[in-house]
Structure formats: structure tokens, C-alpha cells
Amino acid sequence: MKILPPLLAILASCSARSTLMDASGSLRLKISDAKTSQGVVSIVFSPDTKSFLTDSNDILSLESTEPPCLICRGATLSGTSVHEGSALSTSSVVSDAILMDGITHGDVEAGWSNSRHARTVTALFRARLSLAPISKQLLILCVHGQIGESESLHLEGEAKSLFDATAAEVKSDAAFSDMYDISIVSVDSKSDADDVLSKAFQRAEETAGTDTSLASALEEAHNRVIRSGVAVAAKDPPHIAQAFVTVGNALTKQTRTVRAKLAVWKNRISRGLWVEGFGSEAESVRQRVLANFDSETLAAAGLPLVASYRMEMRAQLTSLIDSSIRNAFTLQVSNINKSIEKKLRGTLLKTVDASPEAVKAETAVALQSAMSNLEKIMAELEVPSLGLSKAKICREAESRLTDLGLAVVDSPAAQLRRTKKVMKVTNKEKKPGQRSVGFGLDLVAMLRPDGFGNLQGFAGYQYGGNSFTFGVHNDADDPQTVAQFGGVRPPLLRIQPKLRVDVEL
């Protein structure tokens, strides 16, 4: 393994520090001898905070050429210029390892949610997510002061949260573990600085890409940063990135609430039932879910970059709720119509044997009862805010039920009921009586004119013990009928008499 010299030796071996970006944002790339074959390390310092790694205050400078070491100014809460954002983004894209310096113990205790370091790391993350391919980069967080394991884990968790927030902002599905290896170390002396810098150089050399000119790599990265506009976005405070995650989490949470309630509704609807008080319950769920989303994302409404995303997610949530309610309403209406029609049909079938006047009266009463029941149920289902009212449903149902009332009398079910009643009467066992002999004549006639079987009808008459049945079927030209008669047309009229003798002993 190659033994790297300590930090002081590196600095001593270099010529005077080279400024790569001045206050105007222009690059100065007179570093033709610097190569990227050994990897590139960037030190990001925090302004006005003591650093054991560098004493530079430049926006972007070159500390050493062998191996290449960049120095970049970090963000501040008072404001970060476009040029400073551009320098951070460029360093993030070209580097194999980055050391973030100037983190104090107070910063760790207070959290990163709105600290200067959060602005810095958000800019670094945003640039790599937007412009760099998915590859590993070493991120070393240098803390001034001793830091315990629990604090280290907390700091690492906050860095990952900021990454997730930034990924959501740029709509990337990259994972933190795919793009970064993170290390948190204490740097309280020059010795500590030498150790951490040696670690960064070693990692950079292991992951270095092609052997190209550092000047070319910087120029290409800087041009991509400018074209993409990511440096302008890098000025935004980190709570904007956090707001994207807050909105996304609120959407996920409220979506789960909607789906849970929908599952309860579907459980009843799938069994042919309906939800009692569905209208008021659906309205309550809709208002509560949207109110909770608005409450949880209220802070994001005042952030211009997040406000449009918030409205988009709210529209998505609203569409999910409304479509779910409408679908549940439609399915329940279908179940109710089937239930009402089934009940009405059963009621009317009981009256088919009555006189025409009685059937008409019973039908009117049954229709009125069915409509009253339907309106009562629909009053509990309608959701006026979504235009789901009972008026149209009841109008359509009234027309449909009226047609059903008229059709039941002549329906196959009614005919079958009558037939069963006649059979029950005729098959009723007679009481023992005197011996007798009865005669009856059954006459069946069938008329089969020209045609292909599209007309068929029968008529019957019974008087005492005699009966007459007459049928018409225009199938004389039907090939199947002709085949049944051996290839000849059936007779036009066929009469079949039958003498019936009933003997009772």
C-alpha cells in the first residue's frame, strides 16, 4: 500500500495555492500538470470557523496537485452566492472524496435541519443526484470535539435524511448507500487532520477513474453545473428539501388512511350489501383527510419551490379520495337496485292469480313501497359535494320498476307459478266415491306453413274432460325439419286425435 505523507508535508511540497474561481465566478485553470489518476479530494470548510485542514478563504482553490486536493468554501445562513453554489456543485461532481470541516459540537446537538452545514451538504447532494452517475463517493464529516457513538449515529441519520429530501426534490430514486460511504471523525489537531486527509487520499486513489487533466475535468463539470442551473437551486435553504419529504410523507400517510377505509367499504359491498350512512361517513373521511394533509404540509405552502409540488400531491390525494367514493357509490347503487327489484318481483308474483283489478292495485302499492324504500336508502348514500345525489338514481329506478311491474304478470316465473298451481289442483287425490267410467277427447292440430322457424305459437282450450290444442310453426323450409321427414317437407296440417278413458273403481 502506498504510504501518503502527512498533511504538512503535502502543503510544503506544493507551490503557492492556486485560486480556481474568483469572486466573479470565472474559472482560472492554469494547472495543466494536475491529473485525476490519483483521485480528487475536496475539503469544504465553513467560513469563520477554525480549521485544521486549511486556512484558505477562497471560493474554490487548488491546495495540491499530487494528489489533487481542492479547497471549497461552504455555505452560510446569511447567504450563499451563485458562484459559491457553483463551486460546491463542481467540487461535488469531480471529487472522489469530500471532507466537510467546521462542524462543531454545538451544531451536532442543535441538529442540521437549518444549519449552514445542511445548506452545504444539500448543495453537494443536489449536484451529484442531478449530474453525476450513480457511483460511490466518500463523505467525511469532520467534527471539532469528541463525539460519542450515539451522536455519530444521529449525525449520520440527519445526513441521510437530507439526502432523501434532496432526492425527492429532484425526483431521483437513488439510495444514499448507492452514492455515498459516510464517515464521522473528530478533528481536534493537526495530527487528526493528517490522519483523516490520508484516509481521504487513499480512498480517492482506489476509486479514481480515467487519467485525465484536472483542468479539463473541472471545466467540463463547471459547464454542466451552469447549464443545468443546479447552482442556483443550491442557494436554497435546506428546509426546502425537507419540505419535499414532509409533503411526500403526508401524502403516504393520508393515502393509507383512505385505503384502510376503502377496504372496510369493499368488504360489505362485495357481499351485495351497502354501507349504512355512507354519505355522511364518506364526506367526513374526505374532509378529515384533506384537512390533515393541509395541516401537516402548511409550512410548505409558503415555499415557492415546494408549493406547486404540494398542490400536485394534494390534487393526487383528492383524486384518489373522490374516485374511491364514486366507485363505492356506484357499486352500492347496483346492489340496492338488485335488492329492490328482487323484493318487488317476489311481492308481485304472489298476486298473479288474483283478478286483473286486484293485480293492478297490488302492483301500484308494491311500486310505491319499493320507491319509498329506495329513496330512504339513497338519502343515506348521497354525497352532495361530489354531485352524487339520489334524484337521478330514483328517476331511473322508478321507470325501471314500473316496467318490471308490468312485465311480471306475463313473465316465465309467473307462468310457471300458474302451471304449478293447475298441476296441484289436477293432481289432487280424489276422495273415494262411486265406481265410474269417463271418456274424453284430446285433439291436437299442428299447422306448419313455409318458413324457417322464426314464428311459433300454441293455443289451447279445455272443456270438461275434452281439450283442444292448436299450434303454428313456420318451419316447412327448415333443413333440419326436412331432414327429420326423410328429405321431404312436413305436411301443412297435421291433426292427432286421442281418446281418453278414465276408469274409477
Side-chain angles (χ1 to χ4, degrees), residues 49 102-109 116-117 142-145:
T49 302
I103 304 173
T104 65
H105 203 270
D107 294 329
V108 177
E109 292 179 344
R116 61 193 187 282
H117 305 298
C142 303
V143 182
H144 293 183

Side-chain angles (χ1 to χ4, degrees), residues 104-401:
T104 65
H105 203 270
D107 294 329
V108 177
E109 292 179 344
W112 270 25
S113 60
N114 281 296
S115 71
R116 61 193 187 282
H117 305 298
R119 298 194 70 174
T120 299
V121 78
T122 300
L124 297 174
F125 289 158
R126 188 180 286 117
R128 290 207 74 219
L129 284 166
S130 302
L131 302 175
I134 297 179
S135 59
K136 282 289 185 73
Q137 183 184 77
L138 176 62
L139 176 63
I140 303 178
L141 306 182
C142 303
V143 182
H144 293 183
Q146 295 301 314
I147 183 170
E149 182 178 356
S150 61
E151 295 172 318
S152 178
L153 291 174
H154 179 69
L155 189 60
E156 180 179 340
E158 289 198 318
K160 291 180 179 179
S161 295
L162 283 171
F163 177 89
D164 293 338
T166 309
E169 175 191 345
V170 300
K171 298 181 180 179
S172 170
D173 57 358
F176 182 86
S177 58
D178 294 333
M179 300 194 72
Y180 287 97
D181 285 328
I182 188 170
S183 177
I184 301 172
V185 298
S186 296
V187 180
D188 291 328
S189 64
K190 289 290 186 180
S191 176
D192 293 339
D194 284 334
D195 292 340
V196 70
L197 193 56
S198 296
K199 177 181 178 181
F201 282 143
Q202 181 177 335
R203 173 58 182 271
E205 186 175 12
E206 292 173 354
T207 59
T210 57
D211 184 11
T212 60
S213 167
L214 178 60
S216 299
L218 285 170
E219 184 176 20
E220 180 185 356
H222 182 258
N223 290 337
R224 292 173 63 198
V225 167
I226 297 301
R227 287 194 302 268
S228 67
V230 71
V232 178
K235 294 192 302 179
D236 297 323
H239 62 268
I240 288 182
Q242 289 283 11
F244 277 97
V245 171
T246 300
V247 172
N249 290 341
L251 175 65
T252 301
K253 178 181 176 182
Q254 299 309 320
T255 297
R256 284 199 297 265
T257 301
V258 173
R259 296 193 187 282
K261 178 56 67 176
L262 185 60
V264 176
W265 292 342
K266 284 185 175 180
N267 185 40
R268 285 188 61 82
I269 296 172
S270 63
R271 292 182 284 133
L273 306 175
W274 51 90
V275 180
E276 296 181 0
F278 172 80
S280 58
E281 185 176 353
E283 190 69 60
S284 175
V285 170
R286 185 177 188 273
Q287 293 178 358
R288 184 174 67 254
V289 166
L290 293 178
N292 288 343
F293 179 85
D294 292 341
S295 175
E296 293 173 8
T297 62
L298 183 61
L303 303 175
L305 287 179
V306 190
S308 59
Y309 175 74
R310 174 180 179 266
M311 292 305 297
E312 180 183 344
M313 295 301 101
R314 191 183 192 279
Q316 182 177 327
L317 178 62
T318 303
S319 176
L320 172 65
I321 300 172
D322 294 352
S323 62
S324 299
I325 293 176
R326 287 192 174 95
N327 184 56
F329 179 84
T330 301
L331 294 175
Q332 289 180 95
V333 169
S334 176
N335 289 345
I336 293 169
N337 283 332
K338 291 178 181 178
S339 176
I340 295 291
E341 290 174 8
K342 181 179 179 181
K343 186 175 180 180
L344 176 63
R345 188 179 291 107
T347 301
L348 295 179
L349 283 175
K350 296 177 181 178
T351 66
V352 295
D353 297 325
S355 64
E357 293 77 9
V359 170
K360 186 176 181 180
E362 291 291 339
T363 300
V365 172
L367 283 173
Q368 184 178 2
S369 176
M371 286 304 303
S372 176
N373 190 25
L374 176 63
E375 290 182 2
K376 181 180 178 180
I377 297 174
M378 288 303 304
E380 297 184 357
L381 257 69
E382 59 182 356
V383 187
S385 63
L386 298 181
L388 304 176
S389 65
K390 66 178 183 179
K392 182 180 178 182
I393 304 298
C394 290
R395 284 197 305 270
E396 294 176 351
E398 184 175 12
S399 175
R400 188 172 57 255
L401 293 178

Side-chain angles (χ1 to χ4, degrees), residues 18-21 26-37 39-40 60-62 64-70 90-91 93-95 210-224:
S18 300
T19 299
L20 298 179
M21 182 180 292
S26 301
L27 284 179
R28 300 177 180 179
L29 300 176
K30 296 181 179 180
I31 48 172
S32 57
D33 57 336
K35 301 290 184 180
T36 62
S37 57
V40 179
L60 182 63
S61 60
L62 180 64
S64 68
T65 57
E66 292 185 3
C69 180
L70 304 177
T90 301
S91 299
V93 173
V94 301
S95 299
T210 57
D211 184 11
T212 60
S213 167
L214 178 60
S216 299
L218 285 170
E219 184 176 20
E220 180 185 356
H222 182 258
N223 290 337
R224 292 173 63 198

